[in-house]
Amino acid sequence: MTRFSQLAIAAMSLLGTVWFASVPASAVGPEMVTLPDGSKTQKGAKDENGKWMTPDGEPTYRVKPDGILDWYAYSGFRRYHSECHVCHGPEGEGSTYAPALKDSLKTLSYGDFIGVVASGRVRHLPGGQESVMPALGDNKNVMCYVDDIYIYLKARSDGAVGRGRPVGRDEKPEAAKEYDKACFGG
Ligand code: HEC
């Protein structure tokens, strides 16, 4: 078995679902829109108990006019800064070491994002060096919140969220509390 499929299976069993396999291979989500109340999200997105979803079934953000983030986007801000910031720079801005994920998400699909995070990636550079994205598929602090990290970076990528610490967030939905318990095994 290849390294990829082992990791994919590990990621799936970790999450206890087969959503990993069902992620559409389609590309980048629809564009940002402003809702009647002035908040920003992606076109066609709907609130499912505090979690905003695109018509393609991909998670997305909702940023109120005063800059208040939905719970998941805020959670993604925090998780990004504890798990990814060290290499990818603050707020997805990139570093000399690793790419700016706020730019990557302009073309990288949701499915491909999850795949790279879970399975990692090695790129061979001239002169025998390697550029390595570690495989994080067995790290629950990453994989339990990989959607949240995606949501935050998508909001950065679309320009719905600026740099710096968000001004505030919505209450944590009950569904998110249940999810935490389930993902970390109670
Ligand atoms: C130890 C350093 C390191 C950490 C920690 C790290 N990355 Fe990376 N990541 C890299 C490097 C280096 C690359 C570029 C790999 C290449 O050259 O193909 C990369 C590439 C990526 C890519 C592909 C970007 C593109 O433009 O194709 C994604 C997506 C990504 N990382 C997401 C994450 C996320 C999300 C986290 C945190 C959960 C994270 N990474 C943590 C080093 C890291």
Side-chain angles (χ1 to χ4, degrees):
M1 204 187 305
T2 67
R3 184 169 165 75
F4 175 83
S5 57
Q6 277 167 346
L7 282 162
I9 288 161
M12 277 190 279
S13 58
L14 184 67
L15 295 166
T17 67
V18 293
W19 65 269
F20 190 74
S22 67
V23 166
S26 71
V28 187
E31 75 266 34
M32 180 174 82
V33 294
T34 304
L35 299 175
D37 71 355
S39 56
K40 292 179 166 52
T41 183
Q42 281 181 270
K43 194 173 177 186
K46 287 219 165 36
D47 183 2
E48 292 181 5
N49 303 317
K51 187 161 199 173
W52 286 69
M53 303 296 292
T54 70
D56 294 339
E58 297 178 0
T60 190
Y61 55 86
R62 189 271 186 102
V63 183
K64 291 184 183 153
D66 54 7
I68 303 283
L69 303 188
D70 69 272
W71 164 262
Y72 297 94
Y74 177 82
S75 164
F77 163 81
R78 289 190 45 218
R79 301 284 166 183
Y80 173 86
H81 285 92
S82 61
E83 306 294 338
C84 322
H85 169 189
V86 59
C87 293
H88 288 280
E91 297 118 6
E93 289 283 321
S95 72
T96 52
Y97 184 73
L101 296 179
K102 80 171 206 300
D103 295 334
S104 300
L105 263 62
K106 293 193 197 305
T107 51
L108 194 67
S109 72
Y110 170 62
D112 288 345
F113 175 86
I114 306 284
V116 174
V117 176
S119 306
R121 197 168 78 193
V122 179
R123 194 162 48 94
H124 300 277
L125 303 174
Q129 286 188 315
E130 290 181 336
S131 171
V132 179
M133 164 66 197
L136 301 172
D138 59 359
N139 181 340
K140 285 195 178 195
N141 288 316
V142 172
M143 293 315 287
C144 286
Y145 301 107
V146 71
D147 271 12
D148 302 11
I149 295 170
Y150 172 82
I151 290 167
Y152 168 68
L153 289 171
K154 191 72 188 159
R156 288 285 299 123
S157 174
D158 286 355
V161 170
R163 295 200 58 177
R165 172 164 279 274
V167 296
R169 57 162 175 86
D170 290 339
E171 285 295 301
K172 184 169 186 173
E174 282 306 316
K177 295 179 191 167
E178 294 299 318
Y179 171 85
D180 281 1
K181 278 190 222 152
C183 198
F184 281 93

